[in-house]
Amino acid sequence: MRVLLLGATGLIGSAVLARLARDGVEVVAVARTPGMALRHVRWLPLDVARATTPEDWLPHLAGVSAVVNCAGALASSPADDLRGVHVDGIAALYRACETAGVRRVVHVSAIGAEREPLSEFSATKKAGEDALTARDLDWVVLRPAVVVGRAAYGGSALLRGLAALPVLPELPDAGPLQIVQLDDLVDSIVFFLSPHTPARLALDVAGPERFTLTDAVLTYRRWLRLPEPRRVRVPRPLAALAHRFGDFLRALGWRPPLGTVVRRELVRGAVGNPARWQELTGIRPEPLAAALASEPASVQERWFARLYFVKPLAFAVLASFWIVTGLVSLGPGWEPGLAYLLEGGVPRTLAAAGVVLGALADIAVGVGIAVRRTAKRALWAALAISIFYMIAGTWVLPRLWADPVGPMLKIWPIMVLNLVALAIVEDR
């Protein structure tokens, strides 16, 4: 059996890939950036959002028995084309499946995608479902609620991050959640890959309990062995501002779990009726607390949870530091900076050029850190520039090491923060 798997490096897709590879199933794994090498796996570097004609897919369907679509995004950004991923690319794939005679398709959508009012996320998820159900294929649409597992990304990572805060922010108007385990979803996908299982149906995949967002966070907090927190009700204007800031970060290429689309999805909640899913598959989903108790939280889990909100703070501080440093050097810090170089015997023209070039480099590094696509390279550049400043400062004006303001000594904590940011820059 050969399976074409879309979104093979995502939270759900990577778990499906690991299961299929373990079971000896041959997989053509589709992702923009290939993952680790595995037996029985052939990586296909392809952006689903750009593969919008059947001809883009037909060469890759040779010998394929079934297709699993785990590709998805939360909101549009420079990194993610929501309609391209959820509708245009997969619609072309499903037309190609019809042409190539690939009958079995398992499509991972989202719970409540058919329920009004729709956000951009749920509307495109629904359009993706429609693109599949219109085809003459043996399709199965799985609509999972909030998916959690040992790995964490997106909403599941947010639950851990909120759980580790010293206070518990209660977001206004958040709807109920039915949290489902990643293993149960993977079991379902593998079950429906068999050509002997029912087809042409859409199923809600959800856990046995309905949580408020606060109760879900508290469950994770107890798993992390943290004391009960003080609860703080977040005012609606402040919550709206946080979501707007999430949109700004998304425009810079980051994937924050906040934003206006997320806000609408939080209000909608993530609940459904899993009875038919359980009946067909025989899966009995575990309560969240029981599932968490079966894998006690390690120190690595607590590190991740505590670093979750430290990460954006670290990048914001570093980006602001470099940008502001450059602007100050071109403004009120011009004369002191020039004076340092002149005192060290640097000719005035060369000293002025050095101050300007240094300031522009600082600003460029700060902007680079703020933008997700360039953040890693900018962090390495920041580290290199810091080392250069330390060496050049020592050579030009060694007395700066004894300066009570400590301009040379302060380079060290900045370099360490750069190293921390480099260690946690990856999203998954």
Side-chain angles (χ1 to χ4, degrees):
M1 183 181 191
R2 180 182 296 171
V3 173
L4 182 74
L5 173 63
L6 279 65
T9 56
L11 175 68
I12 298 170
S14 60
V16 173
L17 178 65
R19 176 72 63 82
L20 294 177
R22 185 199 70 184
D23 293 346
V25 176
E26 187 179 350
V27 181
V28 179
V30 179
R32 283 181 289 189
T33 303
M36 66 181 294
L38 294 169
R39 285 188 65 195
H40 311 297
V41 175
R42 175 170 65 86
W43 285 98
L44 174 61
L46 185 68
D47 186 346
V48 174
R50 296 179 180 272
T52 55
T53 68
E55 290 71 27
D56 292 325
W57 294 101
L58 282 170
H60 311 300
L61 292 175
V64 167
S65 308
V67 169
V68 177
N69 175 30
C70 298
L74 187 57
S76 291
S77 73
D80 298 306
D81 176 359
L82 208 58
R83 182 167 183 84
V85 174
H86 289 173
V87 187
D88 298 337
I90 61 168
L93 169 60
Y94 298 151
R95 292 199 302 274
C97 287
E98 206 172 40
T99 301
V102 180
R103 300 288 306 169
R104 179 66 54 158
V105 176
V106 181
H107 174 96
V108 179
S109 183
I111 206 162
E114 78 290 358
R115 187 180 70 244
E116 298 285 347
L118 300 177
S119 69
E120 181 191 15
F121 171 79
S122 48
T124 53
K125 279 291 190 182
K126 179 61 169 62
E129 290 185 15
D130 293 343
L132 174 60
T133 58
R135 307 256 66 90
D136 180 22
L137 299 169
D138 295 333
W139 50 263
V140 177
V141 174
L142 299 179
R143 296 170 176 158
V146 176
V147 179
V148 302
R150 172 60 80 179
Y153 183 73
S156 59
L158 176 62
L159 290 173
R160 300 180 191 215
L162 289 171
L165 290 175
V167 298
L168 174 56
E170 296 185 317
L171 300 178
D173 306 319
L177 309 172
Q178 279 177 274
I179 295 172
V180 66
Q181 294 299 311
L182 178 59
D183 286 346
D184 290 336
L185 178 57
V186 173
D187 287 343
S188 305
I189 292 169
V190 173
F191 174 84
F192 283 110
L193 278 176
S194 170
H196 305 297
T197 53
R200 304 186 71 83
L201 44 80
L203 302 171
D204 289 346
V205 180
E209 309 157 292
R210 287 198 176 197
F211 288 94
T212 65
L213 178 60
T214 296
D215 287 339
V217 171
L218 286 171
T219 303
Y220 268 92
R221 190 175 179 91
R222 294 176 192 119
W223 176 63
L224 292 168
R225 301 193 298 277
L226 299 174
E228 291 293 308
R230 185 167 67 89
R231 303 186 187 191
V232 177
R233 185 72 178 173
V234 179
R236 283 189 179 85
L238 183 58
L241 182 63
H243 286 296
R244 289 289 183 186
F245 184 65
D247 288 341
F248 169 71
L249 293 179
R250 198 170 295 278
L252 294 176
W254 299 94
R255 294 186 176 103
L258 297 175
T260 51
V261 171
V262 179
R263 184 185 186 189
R264 293 184 66 181
E265 289 298 315
L266 279 173
V267 171
R268 279 163 45 85
V271 295
N273 183 1
R276 181 64 171 155
W277 161 62
Q278 294 182 45
E279 177 189 343
L280 290 174
T281 63
I283 293 172
R284 295 294 177 265
E286 273 190 298
L288 177 61
L292 290 174
S294 67
E295 295 189 79
S298 64
V299 66
Q300 290 90 343
E301 300 286 357
R302 290 193 291 276
W303 276 19
F304 174 85
R306 287 171 170 147
L307 283 170
Y308 187 75
F309 287 107
V310 173
K311 176 179 176 176
L313 180 62
F315 278 83
V317 166
L318 282 170
S320 300
F321 167 79
W322 286 99
I323 292 171
V324 172
T325 298
L327 293 175
V328 167
S329 295
L330 294 175
W334 171 265
E335 289 297 336
L338 192 62
Y340 278 138
L341 293 177
L342 293 175
E343 183 184 344
V346 179
R348 186 174 188 86
T349 302
L350 189 58
V355 172
V356 171
L357 289 175
L360 294 178
D362 290 352
I363 294 170
V365 164
V367 172
I369 292 173
V371 177
R372 175 64 187 91
R373 184 171 58 85
T374 57
K376 192 170 186 177
R377 291 192 296 272
L379 287 168
W380 282 116
L383 196 60
I385 290 173
S386 297
I387 294 171
F388 171 77
Y389 284 163
M390 185 170 57
I391 295 172
T394 302
W395 178 62
V396 172
L397 208 61
R399 74 164 181 82
L400 290 176
W401 284 98
D403 192 307
V405 179
M408 301 298 287
L409 295 174
K410 289 175 181 176
I411 294 176
W412 291 98
I414 293 298
M415 291 170 62
V416 171
L417 186 56
N418 264 278
L419 290 173
V420 171
L422 279 166
I424 61 175
V425 66
E426 301 297 339
D427 294 320
R428 51 179 159 184

